[in-house]
Amino acid sequence: MSETDSDAEISIDADELDPITFTVIWDRLVAMCNEMGKVLQRTGKSEAVSLGQDFSTGLFDREGRMVAQGNFSPGHLGSMPYAVQHVRDRYDYDDLEPGDGILLNDSYMGSGHLPDMFLVTPVFVDDRIEGFSVTIAHHIDVGGMAPGSQAVEATEIYQEGLRLFPTKVISEGELERWFVDLIEANVRLPDEVIGDLKAQQNANHHGATLFREIIEEYDRETIYTCIDEVIAQSERRVREDLREMPDGKYSFEDVMDNVRVDSGPVNLEVTIEIDDDELIFDYDGTDPATQSAINSYINYTRAYSAFVLKAITEKYLPQNEGIMKPMTVRAPEGSFLNPQPPTAANARPIINQRLVELNLGAVAKAVPDKVIAASSHFGNPNFSGEDPETGEQFILYDFMIGGVGASERKDGEEGICSSFNVTNIPVELHETRYPVVIDRLELIPDSGGAGRHRGGLGLRKDFTLFAENVSFTNLLERTESQPWGLEGGEGGDSGQTVLNPDDEAEELHPKGQFELEYGDTVSFQLSGGGGYGDPLERDPEAVREDVVKEYITVEEAHDVYGVVFHDDEDELRVDEAATESRRSELAA
């Protein structure tokens, strides 16, 4: 995008900026992005957007700098700046008008897989572009080999669905007819895709209106000075935190269990270097890109590296460009974490948790008190079939979230996502919209890693499908490896997927496409989070409470935590003498 140098240098001195005004403006910019998220969620059509919150929002200034972002998915937030830059490279300012919208979903240019669509809307004030309101949303289907567009068997991007470089699909507030035709011709549920895209348009319009109001209220010079100071202050605070950490290089290795039915594990390696006020992520040693749809394009790798940077520094600081400036990310070209087109990557959501944990494992060697143990790995299946009542095709999208890894300060939480902001979708919604019954939704006792602080429990969710010709794409991890513990804490239990668990049970591969018969039940059982610290140091009363809540069994309390209870049917009470003896026995 072109702008004259004089346009880009209008500001006042930061010393002249009143601190109260600065705080109010900064808070309003952040609130604006969160409001965009509310609009997107409330007007979204699919459950991925309206309930799963699989989206993000952001504001960029006229120079393409990230000013503020809503509190949503890190995988979107960290990659959004690169998508915006590709849009600015493709379009000159003079090519755009108020109400225009540019769409992008290319894996290399965007967040790493085609279902995530960025919509970038220029904000005009007095016939001049002053910034961009941006949303990204996961769309329920973009075509390709399998319903839901996350087929792990794809080997190149051309098999994965509709692929868009930066394209103006909205002109003067109206969706282009050719684009609507393109969606209807290429995706399985065009109404839902168009509906969610219009929700993105609504959110961008709302954000543009709010940003325009702020500029008109405070004047351009004040706003630009405030933006400069937001970015500079954020960078300064992150660098100050990094200086307090011990310099050095810290390495960690882990594996992805597999990437398709016939594959073995994928080796992951990182060396994190803390060098004064710089943080360098070097993924040298990671395996090459796979012949599957599970690969992480570099923008996605950067995004979850940035998540870890933020988690160990100013985690409450609103996200903006300044936070990411102290960070450098390196990954060998052609590797699993930096593939090149036309590598497939639509099933890449399953990678994000593993990226975070890979980096936390390295950071724990420098600042163990700032990280958590490995968390329960989520599940992300997509079911498809024909609804027997309507005769129409359906795609049931789900996210299942288990437990968080324990930390030096507390137990891991249950049912909370540790590495992004997606939520468990309510049972009632799926049972109302689709020919499905959720037979069980429960925490799995004893699944959390034992420790002084216990890991969050894994989650079990059983689906029974009452439809013909049902297929589903399974995306699950940590079915062979365990979420690791820290400082003597034990790993969480591994997960599994089981077909018809109450009949002739059959374990299904965690990544693949499967056909189901009418009435089949699929049981997703997620891994548990890792524990932190020696289990024998856990407060016996906390162990008793876990037994009462049915988080752990009496056997687990005795065998692992060394806690013994009185033989009293009316009340569960810790036998302190027997517990001391049992713990001495286990410690010997």
Side-chain angles (χ1 to χ4, degrees), residues 36 39-40 43 99-101 103 119-121 133-135 137 139 169-176 194-209:
M36 289 171 64
V39 171
L40 181 51
T43 61
D100 286 352
L103 198 66
L119 183 65
V120 179
T121 299
S133 57
V134 185
T135 53
H139 285 256
V169 301
I170 301 174
S171 296
E172 298 181 0
E174 297 293 330
L175 273 172
E176 295 277 8
I194 293 297
D196 282 345
L197 183 57
K198 288 182 176 180
Q200 289 184 253
Q201 183 184 9
N202 294 338
N204 283 13
H205 174 74
H206 184 64
T209 299

PDB file of all heavy atoms in Angstrom, residues 36 39-40 43 99-101 103 119-121 133-135 137 139 169-176 194-209:
ATOM      1  N   MET A  36     -15.953  -6.171  19.005  1.00  0.00           N
ATOM      2  CA  MET A  36     -16.013  -6.818  17.695  1.00  0.00           C
ATOM      3  C   MET A  36     -16.257  -8.319  17.860  1.00  0.00           C
ATOM      4  O   MET A  36     -17.043  -8.926  17.119  1.00  0.00           O
ATOM      5  CB  MET A  36     -14.714  -6.579  16.917  1.00  0.00           C
ATOM      6  CG  MET A  36     -14.511  -5.155  16.428  1.00  0.00           C
ATOM      7  SD  MET A  36     -12.851  -4.905  15.742  1.00  0.00           S
ATOM      8  CE  MET A  36     -12.876  -6.005  14.323  1.00  0.00           C
ATOM      9  N   VAL A  39     -19.904  -8.998  18.687  1.00  0.00           N
ATOM     10  CA  VAL A  39     -20.742  -8.885  17.490  1.00  0.00           C
ATOM     11  C   VAL A  39     -20.588 -10.133  16.624  1.00  0.00           C
ATOM     12  O   VAL A  39     -21.571 -10.702  16.126  1.00  0.00           O
ATOM     13  CB  VAL A  39     -20.380  -7.622  16.686  1.00  0.00           C
ATOM     14  CG1 VAL A  39     -21.097  -7.607  15.335  1.00  0.00           C
ATOM     15  CG2 VAL A  39     -20.732  -6.366  17.482  1.00  0.00           C
ATOM     16  N   LEU A  40     -19.345 -10.575  16.452  1.00  0.00           N
ATOM     17  CA  LEU A  40     -19.075 -11.747  15.624  1.00  0.00           C
ATOM     18  C   LEU A  40     -19.746 -12.985  16.213  1.00  0.00           C
ATOM     19  O   LEU A  40     -20.404 -13.767  15.493  1.00  0.00           O
ATOM     20  CB  LEU A  40     -17.566 -11.950  15.510  1.00  0.00           C
ATOM     21  CG  LEU A  40     -17.048 -13.113  14.667  1.00  0.00           C
ATOM     22  CD1 LEU A  40     -17.668 -13.124  13.284  1.00  0.00           C
ATOM     23  CD2 LEU A  40     -15.520 -13.044  14.572  1.00  0.00           C
ATOM     24  N   THR A  43     -23.729 -12.796  15.973  1.00  0.00           N
ATOM     25  CA  THR A  43     -24.326 -12.837  14.637  1.00  0.00           C
ATOM     26  C   THR A  43     -23.808 -13.998  13.803  1.00  0.00           C
ATOM     27  O   THR A  43     -24.260 -14.198  12.675  1.00  0.00           O
ATOM     28  CB  THR A  43     -24.065 -11.509  13.878  1.00  0.00           C
ATOM     29  OG1 THR A  43     -22.653 -11.295  13.730  1.00  0.00           O
ATOM     30  CG2 THR A  43     -24.677 -10.335  14.616  1.00  0.00           C
ATOM     31  N   GLY A  99     -16.297   0.547   2.985  1.00  0.00           N
ATOM     32  CA  GLY A  99     -17.179  -0.603   2.865  1.00  0.00           C
ATOM     33  C   GLY A  99     -16.565  -1.791   2.166  1.00  0.00           C
ATOM     34  O   GLY A  99     -17.175  -2.866   2.101  1.00  0.00           O
ATOM     35  N   ASP A 100     -15.343  -1.654   1.637  1.00  0.00           N
ATOM     36  CA  ASP A 100     -14.683  -2.773   0.978  1.00  0.00           C
ATOM     37  C   ASP A 100     -14.202  -3.793   2.015  1.00  0.00           C
ATOM     38  O   ASP A 100     -13.919  -3.452   3.175  1.00  0.00           O
ATOM     39  CB  ASP A 100     -13.477  -2.293   0.159  1.00  0.00           C
ATOM     40  CG  ASP A 100     -13.881  -1.585  -1.117  1.00  0.00           C
ATOM     41  OD1 ASP A 100     -15.081  -1.591  -1.439  1.00  0.00           O
ATOM     42  OD2 ASP A 100     -12.991  -1.018  -1.786  1.00  0.00           O
ATOM     43  N   GLY A 101     -14.096  -5.041   1.585  1.00  0.00           N
ATOM     44  CA  GLY A 101     -13.573  -6.090   2.442  1.00  0.00           C
ATOM     45  C   GLY A 101     -12.697  -7.032   1.654  1.00  0.00           C
ATOM     46  O   GLY A 101     -13.080  -7.489   0.570  1.00  0.00           O
ATOM     47  N   LEU A 103     -10.604 -10.607   1.575  1.00  0.00           N
ATOM     48  CA  LEU A 103     -10.602 -11.921   2.208  1.00  0.00           C
ATOM     49  C   LEU A 103      -9.332 -12.679   1.840  1.00  0.00           C
ATOM     50  O   LEU A 103      -8.843 -12.584   0.708  1.00  0.00           O
ATOM     51  CB  LEU A 103     -11.825 -12.714   1.751  1.00  0.00           C
ATOM     52  CG  LEU A 103     -12.231 -13.925   2.595  1.00  0.00           C
ATOM     53  CD1 LEU A 103     -12.685 -13.477   3.981  1.00  0.00           C
ATOM     54  CD2 LEU A 103     -13.346 -14.702   1.911  1.00  0.00           C
ATOM     55  N   LEU A 119     -10.782 -11.485   7.239  1.00  0.00           N
ATOM     56  CA  LEU A 119     -11.465 -10.405   6.535  1.00  0.00           C
ATOM     57  C   LEU A 119     -10.867  -9.088   7.016  1.00  0.00           C
ATOM     58  O   LEU A 119     -10.891  -8.790   8.216  1.00  0.00           O
ATOM     59  CB  LEU A 119     -12.964 -10.420   6.793  1.00  0.00           C
ATOM     60  CG  LEU A 119     -13.760  -9.352   6.018  1.00  0.00           C
ATOM     61  CD1 LEU A 119     -13.698  -9.607   4.508  1.00  0.00           C
ATOM     62  CD2 LEU A 119     -15.214  -9.300   6.496  1.00  0.00           C
ATOM     63  N   VAL A 120     -10.314  -8.315   6.082  1.00  0.00           N
ATOM     64  CA  VAL A 120      -9.628  -7.061   6.390  1.00  0.00           C
ATOM     65  C   VAL A 120     -10.440  -5.914   5.792  1.00  0.00           C
ATOM     66  O   VAL A 120     -10.700  -5.882   4.582  1.00  0.00           O
ATOM     67  CB  VAL A 120      -8.194  -7.063   5.823  1.00  0.00           C
ATOM     68  CG1 VAL A 120      -7.486  -5.744   6.129  1.00  0.00           C
ATOM     69  CG2 VAL A 120      -7.403  -8.242   6.383  1.00  0.00           C
ATOM     70  N   THR A 121     -10.846  -4.963   6.648  1.00  0.00           N
ATOM     71  CA  THR A 121     -11.698  -3.847   6.229  1.00  0.00           C
ATOM     72  C   THR A 121     -10.984  -2.529   6.491  1.00  0.00           C
ATOM     73  O   THR A 121     -10.609  -2.245   7.639  1.00  0.00           O
ATOM     74  CB  THR A 121     -13.031  -3.859   7.007  1.00  0.00           C
ATOM     75  OG1 THR A 121     -13.723  -5.075   6.730  1.00  0.00           O
ATOM     76  CG2 THR A 121     -13.901  -2.676   6.623  1.00  0.00           C
ATOM     77  N   SER A 133      -9.809  -2.720  10.422  1.00  0.00           N
ATOM     78  CA  SER A 133     -10.433  -3.639  11.374  1.00  0.00           C
ATOM     79  C   SER A 133     -10.384  -5.029  10.739  1.00  0.00           C
ATOM     80  O   SER A 133     -10.655  -5.195   9.544  1.00  0.00           O
ATOM     81  CB  SER A 133     -11.859  -3.215  11.701  1.00  0.00           C
ATOM     82  OG  SER A 133     -12.655  -3.133  10.537  1.00  0.00           O
ATOM     83  N   VAL A 134     -10.037  -6.029  11.566  1.00  0.00           N
ATOM     84  CA  VAL A 134      -9.738  -7.363  11.037  1.00  0.00           C
ATOM     85  C   VAL A 134     -10.411  -8.423  11.901  1.00  0.00           C
ATOM     86  O   VAL A 134     -10.403  -8.345  13.133  1.00  0.00           O
ATOM     87  CB  VAL A 134      -8.211  -7.624  11.011  1.00  0.00           C
ATOM     88  CG1 VAL A 134      -7.905  -8.966  10.353  1.00  0.00           C
ATOM     89  CG2 VAL A 134      -7.478  -6.490  10.299  1.00  0.00           C
ATOM     90  N   THR A 135     -10.985  -9.412  11.240  1.00  0.00           N
ATOM     91  CA  THR A 135     -11.470 -10.607  11.929  1.00  0.00           C
ATOM     92  C   THR A 135     -10.947 -11.833  11.206  1.00  0.00           C
ATOM     93  O   THR A 135     -10.690 -11.809  10.004  1.00  0.00           O
ATOM     94  CB  THR A 135     -13.008 -10.675  11.962  1.00  0.00           C
ATOM     95  OG1 THR A 135     -13.520 -10.532  10.630  1.00  0.00           O
ATOM     96  CG2 THR A 135     -13.592  -9.592  12.853  1.00  0.00           C
ATOM     97  N   ALA A 137     -12.092 -16.051  11.292  1.00  0.00           N
ATOM     98  CA  ALA A 137     -13.019 -17.042  11.837  1.00  0.00           C
ATOM     99  C   ALA A 137     -12.774 -18.385  11.170  1.00  0.00           C
ATOM    100  O   ALA A 137     -12.464 -18.456   9.977  1.00  0.00           O
ATOM    101  CB  ALA A 137     -14.464 -16.606  11.623  1.00  0.00           C
ATOM    102  N   HIS A 139     -14.183 -21.396   9.473  1.00  0.00           N
ATOM    103  CA  HIS A 139     -15.408 -21.687   8.743  1.00  0.00           C
ATOM    104  C   HIS A 139     -15.643 -23.195   8.709  1.00  0.00           C
ATOM    105  O   HIS A 139     -14.715 -23.996   8.568  1.00  0.00           O
ATOM    106  CB  HIS A 139     -15.350 -21.090   7.340  1.00  0.00           C
ATOM    107  CG  HIS A 139     -15.553 -19.606   7.364  1.00  0.00           C
ATOM    108  ND1 HIS A 139     -16.729 -19.002   6.996  1.00  0.00           N
ATOM    109  CD2 HIS A 139     -14.725 -18.604   7.758  1.00  0.00           C
ATOM    110  CE1 HIS A 139     -16.628 -17.692   7.141  1.00  0.00           C
ATOM    111  NE2 HIS A 139     -15.401 -17.423   7.608  1.00  0.00           N
ATOM    112  N   VAL A 169     -13.735  -9.180  -1.848  1.00  0.00           N
ATOM    113  CA  VAL A 169     -14.996  -9.898  -2.031  1.00  0.00           C
ATOM    114  C   VAL A 169     -16.192  -9.078  -1.573  1.00  0.00           C
ATOM    115  O   VAL A 169     -17.347  -9.460  -1.799  1.00  0.00           O
ATOM    116  CB  VAL A 169     -14.980 -11.244  -1.276  1.00  0.00           C
ATOM    117  CG1 VAL A 169     -13.832 -12.125  -1.763  1.00  0.00           C
ATOM    118  CG2 VAL A 169     -14.896 -11.041   0.226  1.00  0.00           C
ATOM    119  N   ILE A 170     -15.932  -7.943  -0.923  1.00  0.00           N
ATOM    120  CA  ILE A 170     -16.990  -7.028  -0.501  1.00  0.00           C
ATOM    121  C   ILE A 170     -16.682  -5.655  -1.079  1.00  0.00           C
ATOM    122  O   ILE A 170     -15.579  -5.128  -0.904  1.00  0.00           O
ATOM    123  CB  ILE A 170     -17.094  -6.937   1.034  1.00  0.00           C
ATOM    124  CG1 ILE A 170     -17.390  -8.316   1.633  1.00  0.00           C
ATOM    125  CG2 ILE A 170     -18.164  -5.939   1.467  1.00  0.00           C
ATOM    126  CD1 ILE A 170     -17.364  -8.351   3.155  1.00  0.00           C
ATOM    127  N   SER A 171     -17.633  -5.088  -1.791  1.00  0.00           N
ATOM    128  CA  SER A 171     -17.478  -3.761  -2.387  1.00  0.00           C
ATOM    129  C   SER A 171     -18.602  -2.858  -1.901  1.00  0.00           C
ATOM    130  O   SER A 171     -19.781  -3.208  -2.032  1.00  0.00           O
ATOM    131  CB  SER A 171     -17.494  -3.837  -3.916  1.00  0.00           C
ATOM    132  OG  SER A 171     -16.402  -4.582  -4.398  1.00  0.00           O
ATOM    133  N   GLU A 172     -18.211  -1.751  -1.296  1.00  0.00           N
ATOM    134  CA  GLU A 172     -19.182  -0.769  -0.782  1.00  0.00           C
ATOM    135  C   GLU A 172     -20.235  -1.436   0.101  1.00  0.00           C
ATOM    136  O   GLU A 172     -21.420  -1.120   0.046  1.00  0.00           O
ATOM    137  CB  GLU A 172     -19.828  -0.017  -1.942  1.00  0.00           C
ATOM    138  CG  GLU A 172     -18.822   0.785  -2.764  1.00  0.00           C
ATOM    139  CD  GLU A 172     -19.472   1.539  -3.902  1.00  0.00           C
ATOM    140  OE1 GLU A 172     -20.698   1.446  -4.064  1.00  0.00           O
ATOM    141  OE2 GLU A 172     -18.740   2.244  -4.621  1.00  0.00           O
ATOM    142  N   GLY A 173     -19.780  -2.392   0.910  1.00  0.00           N
ATOM    143  CA  GLY A 173     -20.667  -3.012   1.883  1.00  0.00           C
ATOM    144  C   GLY A 173     -21.452  -4.207   1.388  1.00  0.00           C
ATOM    145  O   GLY A 173     -22.191  -4.822   2.168  1.00  0.00           O
ATOM    146  N   GLU A 174     -21.303  -4.603   0.134  1.00  0.00           N
ATOM    147  CA  GLU A 174     -22.071  -5.711  -0.425  1.00  0.00           C
ATOM    148  C   GLU A 174     -21.146  -6.838  -0.888  1.00  0.00           C
ATOM    149  O   GLU A 174     -20.123  -6.594  -1.528  1.00  0.00           O
ATOM    150  CB  GLU A 174     -22.914  -5.242  -1.612  1.00  0.00           C
ATOM    151  CG  GLU A 174     -23.971  -4.195  -1.259  1.00  0.00           C
ATOM    152  CD  GLU A 174     -25.060  -4.757  -0.363  1.00  0.00           C
ATOM    153  OE1 GLU A 174     -25.347  -5.980  -0.462  1.00  0.00           O
ATOM    154  OE2 GLU A 174     -25.621  -4.011   0.450  1.00  0.00           O
ATOM    155  N   LEU A 175     -21.528  -8.081  -0.536  1.00  0.00           N
ATOM    156  CA  LEU A 175     -20.784  -9.231  -1.030  1.00  0.00           C
ATOM    157  C   LEU A 175     -20.889  -9.308  -2.552  1.00  0.00           C
ATOM    158  O   LEU A 175     -21.981  -9.168  -3.111  1.00  0.00           O
ATOM    159  CB  LEU A 175     -21.342 -10.522  -0.432  1.00  0.00           C
ATOM    160  CG  LEU A 175     -20.801 -10.976   0.928  1.00  0.00           C
ATOM    161  CD1 LEU A 175     -21.615 -12.156   1.434  1.00  0.00           C
ATOM    162  CD2 LEU A 175     -19.330 -11.351   0.835  1.00  0.00           C
ATOM    163  N   GLU A 176     -19.772  -9.525  -3.209  1.00  0.00           N
ATOM    164  CA  GLU A 176     -19.771  -9.659  -4.663  1.00  0.00           C
ATOM    165  C   GLU A 176     -20.544 -10.919  -5.073  1.00  0.00           C
ATOM    166  O   GLU A 176     -20.374 -11.986  -4.483  1.00  0.00           O
ATOM    167  CB  GLU A 176     -18.336  -9.759  -5.173  1.00  0.00           C
ATOM    168  CG  GLU A 176     -17.499  -8.505  -4.941  1.00  0.00           C
ATOM    169  CD  GLU A 176     -17.731  -7.453  -6.012  1.00  0.00           C
ATOM    170  OE1 GLU A 176     -18.655  -7.644  -6.837  1.00  0.00           O
ATOM    171  OE2 GLU A 176     -16.984  -6.460  -6.022  1.00  0.00           O
ATOM    172  N   ILE A 194     -21.420 -18.322   4.247  1.00  0.00           N
ATOM    173  CA  ILE A 194     -21.807 -16.944   3.953  1.00  0.00           C
ATOM    174  C   ILE A 194     -22.309 -16.258   5.219  1.00  0.00           C
ATOM    175  O   ILE A 194     -22.010 -15.082   5.478  1.00  0.00           O
ATOM    176  CB  ILE A 194     -22.894 -16.899   2.856  1.00  0.00           C
ATOM    177  CG1 ILE A 194     -22.308 -17.379   1.520  1.00  0.00           C
ATOM    178  CG2 ILE A 194     -23.458 -15.494   2.710  1.00  0.00           C
ATOM    179  CD1 ILE A 194     -21.191 -16.499   0.973  1.00  0.00           C
ATOM    180  N   GLY A 195     -23.054 -16.991   6.057  1.00  0.00           N
ATOM    181  CA  GLY A 195     -23.552 -16.409   7.292  1.00  0.00           C
ATOM    182  C   GLY A 195     -22.428 -15.982   8.221  1.00  0.00           C
ATOM    183  O   GLY A 195     -22.471 -14.884   8.807  1.00  0.00           O
ATOM    184  N   ASP A 196     -21.411 -16.822   8.369  1.00  0.00           N
ATOM    185  CA  ASP A 196     -20.290 -16.458   9.235  1.00  0.00           C
ATOM    186  C   ASP A 196     -19.452 -15.335   8.618  1.00  0.00           C
ATOM    187  O   ASP A 196     -18.911 -14.483   9.343  1.00  0.00           O
ATOM    188  CB  ASP A 196     -19.410 -17.675   9.498  1.00  0.00           C
ATOM    189  CG  ASP A 196     -20.010 -18.606  10.545  1.00  0.00           C
ATOM    190  OD1 ASP A 196     -20.937 -18.181  11.259  1.00  0.00           O
ATOM    191  OD2 ASP A 196     -19.561 -19.771  10.641  1.00  0.00           O
ATOM    192  N   LEU A 197     -19.344 -15.317   7.303  1.00  0.00           N
ATOM    193  CA  LEU A 197     -18.616 -14.227   6.653  1.00  0.00           C
ATOM    194  C   LEU A 197     -19.342 -12.896   6.863  1.00  0.00           C
ATOM    195  O   LEU A 197     -18.708 -11.853   7.116  1.00  0.00           O
ATOM    196  CB  LEU A 197     -18.451 -14.517   5.162  1.00  0.00           C
ATOM    197  CG  LEU A 197     -17.640 -13.482   4.372  1.00  0.00           C
ATOM    198  CD1 LEU A 197     -16.241 -13.312   4.961  1.00  0.00           C
ATOM    199  CD2 LEU A 197     -17.560 -13.870   2.905  1.00  0.00           C
ATOM    200  N   LYS A 198     -20.660 -12.912   6.793  1.00  0.00           N
ATOM    201  CA  LYS A 198     -21.423 -11.683   7.067  1.00  0.00           C
ATOM    202  C   LYS A 198     -21.272 -11.260   8.524  1.00  0.00           C
ATOM    203  O   LYS A 198     -21.256 -10.061   8.838  1.00  0.00           O
ATOM    204  CB  LYS A 198     -22.893 -11.890   6.714  1.00  0.00           C
ATOM    205  CG  LYS A 198     -23.154 -11.944   5.212  1.00  0.00           C
ATOM    206  CD  LYS A 198     -24.634 -12.099   4.907  1.00  0.00           C
ATOM    207  CE  LYS A 198     -24.891 -12.058   3.404  1.00  0.00           C
ATOM    208  NZ  LYS A 198     -26.337 -12.218   3.081  1.00  0.00           N
ATOM    209  N   ALA A 199     -21.142 -12.249   9.429  1.00  0.00           N
ATOM    210  CA  ALA A 199     -20.887 -11.915  10.827  1.00  0.00           C
ATOM    211  C   ALA A 199     -19.527 -11.227  10.961  1.00  0.00           C
ATOM    212  O   ALA A 199     -19.373 -10.276  11.747  1.00  0.00           O
ATOM    213  CB  ALA A 199     -20.950 -13.176  11.686  1.00  0.00           C
ATOM    214  N   GLN A 200     -18.531 -11.698  10.230  1.00  0.00           N
ATOM    215  CA  GLN A 200     -17.233 -11.020  10.222  1.00  0.00           C
ATOM    216  C   GLN A 200     -17.371  -9.598   9.688  1.00  0.00           C
ATOM    217  O   GLN A 200     -16.758  -8.659  10.205  1.00  0.00           O
ATOM    218  CB  GLN A 200     -16.232 -11.799   9.362  1.00  0.00           C
ATOM    219  CG  GLN A 200     -15.781 -13.114   9.974  1.00  0.00           C
ATOM    220  CD  GLN A 200     -14.724 -13.807   9.134  1.00  0.00           C
ATOM    221  OE1 GLN A 200     -14.998 -14.816   8.485  1.00  0.00           O
ATOM    222  NE2 GLN A 200     -13.504 -13.293   9.138  1.00  0.00           N
ATOM    223  N   GLN A 201     -18.172  -9.445   8.648  1.00  0.00           N
ATOM    224  CA  GLN A 201     -18.401  -8.117   8.087  1.00  0.00           C
ATOM    225  C   GLN A 201     -19.063  -7.209   9.126  1.00  0.00           C
ATOM    226  O   GLN A 201     -18.692  -6.029   9.269  1.00  0.00           O
ATOM    227  CB  GLN A 201     -19.276  -8.220   6.836  1.00  0.00           C
ATOM    228  CG  GLN A 201     -19.509  -6.887   6.131  1.00  0.00           C
ATOM    229  CD  GLN A 201     -20.454  -7.032   4.952  1.00  0.00           C
ATOM    230  OE1 GLN A 201     -21.072  -8.071   4.752  1.00  0.00           O
ATOM    231  NE2 GLN A 201     -20.586  -5.975   4.161  1.00  0.00           N
ATOM    232  N   ASN A 202     -20.027  -7.743   9.852  1.00  0.00           N
ATOM    233  CA  ASN A 202     -20.686  -6.962  10.905  1.00  0.00           C
ATOM    234  C   ASN A 202     -19.677  -6.499  11.948  1.00  0.00           C
ATOM    235  O   ASN A 202     -19.678  -5.332  12.378  1.00  0.00           O
ATOM    236  CB  ASN A 202     -21.752  -7.811  11.614  1.00  0.00           C
ATOM    237  CG  ASN A 202     -22.911  -8.180  10.720  1.00  0.00           C
ATOM    238  OD1 ASN A 202     -23.174  -7.527   9.710  1.00  0.00           O
ATOM    239  ND2 ASN A 202     -23.615  -9.241  11.089  1.00  0.00           N
ATOM    240  N   ALA A 203     -18.822  -7.441  12.376  1.00  0.00           N
ATOM    241  CA  ALA A 203     -17.839  -7.119  13.404  1.00  0.00           C
ATOM    242  C   ALA A 203     -16.844  -6.076  12.908  1.00  0.00           C
ATOM    243  O   ALA A 203     -16.495  -5.133  13.641  1.00  0.00           O
ATOM    244  CB  ALA A 203     -17.110  -8.392  13.829  1.00  0.00           C
ATOM    245  N   ASN A 204     -16.382  -6.220  11.664  1.00  0.00           N
ATOM    246  CA  ASN A 204     -15.438  -5.245  11.118  1.00  0.00           C
ATOM    247  C   ASN A 204     -16.067  -3.868  10.993  1.00  0.00           C
ATOM    248  O   ASN A 204     -15.431  -2.842  11.255  1.00  0.00           O
ATOM    249  CB  ASN A 204     -14.936  -5.713   9.749  1.00  0.00           C
ATOM    250  CG  ASN A 204     -13.895  -6.808   9.851  1.00  0.00           C
ATOM    251  OD1 ASN A 204     -13.706  -7.394  10.909  1.00  0.00           O
ATOM    252  ND2 ASN A 204     -13.219  -7.087   8.748  1.00  0.00           N
ATOM    253  N   HIS A 205     -17.328  -3.840  10.569  1.00  0.00           N
ATOM    254  CA  HIS A 205     -18.033  -2.556  10.454  1.00  0.00           C
ATOM    255  C   HIS A 205     -18.153  -1.892  11.826  1.00  0.00           C
ATOM    256  O   HIS A 205     -17.940  -0.677  11.961  1.00  0.00           O
ATOM    257  CB  HIS A 205     -19.417  -2.780   9.852  1.00  0.00           C
ATOM    258  CG  HIS A 205     -20.269  -1.544   9.815  1.00  0.00           C
ATOM    259  ND1 HIS A 205     -20.047  -0.513   8.921  1.00  0.00           N
ATOM    260  CD2 HIS A 205     -21.322  -1.163  10.597  1.00  0.00           C
ATOM    261  CE1 HIS A 205     -20.934   0.447   9.134  1.00  0.00           C
ATOM    262  NE2 HIS A 205     -21.721   0.075  10.142  1.00  0.00           N
ATOM    263  N   HIS A 206     -18.487  -2.692  12.834  1.00  0.00           N
ATOM    264  CA  HIS A 206     -18.608  -2.136  14.181  1.00  0.00           C
ATOM    265  C   HIS A 206     -17.261  -1.597  14.660  1.00  0.00           C
ATOM    266  O   HIS A 206     -17.185  -0.494  15.228  1.00  0.00           O
ATOM    267  CB  HIS A 206     -19.111  -3.223  15.131  1.00  0.00           C
ATOM    268  CG  HIS A 206     -19.363  -2.743  16.525  1.00  0.00           C
ATOM    269  ND1 HIS A 206     -20.335  -1.809  16.829  1.00  0.00           N
ATOM    270  CD2 HIS A 206     -18.766  -3.067  17.717  1.00  0.00           C
ATOM    271  CE1 HIS A 206     -20.336  -1.580  18.140  1.00  0.00           C
ATOM    272  NE2 HIS A 206     -19.398  -2.326  18.689  1.00  0.00           N
ATOM    273  N   GLY A 207     -16.203  -2.355  14.416  1.00  0.00           N
ATOM    274  CA  GLY A 207     -14.878  -1.899  14.816  1.00  0.00           C
ATOM    275  C   GLY A 207     -14.476  -0.627  14.094  1.00  0.00           C
ATOM    276  O   GLY A 207     -13.911   0.298  14.701  1.00  0.00           O
ATOM    277  N   ALA A 208     -14.749  -0.565  12.800  1.00  0.00           N
ATOM    278  CA  ALA A 208     -14.412   0.638  12.029  1.00  0.00           C
ATOM    279  C   ALA A 208     -15.157   1.854  12.558  1.00  0.00           C
ATOM    280  O   ALA A 208     -14.600   2.960  12.662  1.00  0.00           O
ATOM    281  CB  ALA A 208     -14.738   0.414  10.555  1.00  0.00           C
ATOM    282  N   THR A 209     -16.424   1.664  12.904  1.00  0.00           N
ATOM    283  CA  THR A 209     -17.224   2.769  13.439  1.00  0.00           C
ATOM    284  C   THR A 209     -16.639   3.275  14.758  1.00  0.00           C
ATOM    285  O   THR A 209     -16.511   4.494  14.977  1.00  0.00           O
ATOM    286  CB  THR A 209     -18.680   2.316  13.656  1.00  0.00           C
ATOM    287  OG1 THR A 209     -19.227   1.915  12.400  1.00  0.00           O
ATOM    288  CG2 THR A 209     -19.524   3.443  14.243  1.00  0.00           C
TER     289      THR A 209
END
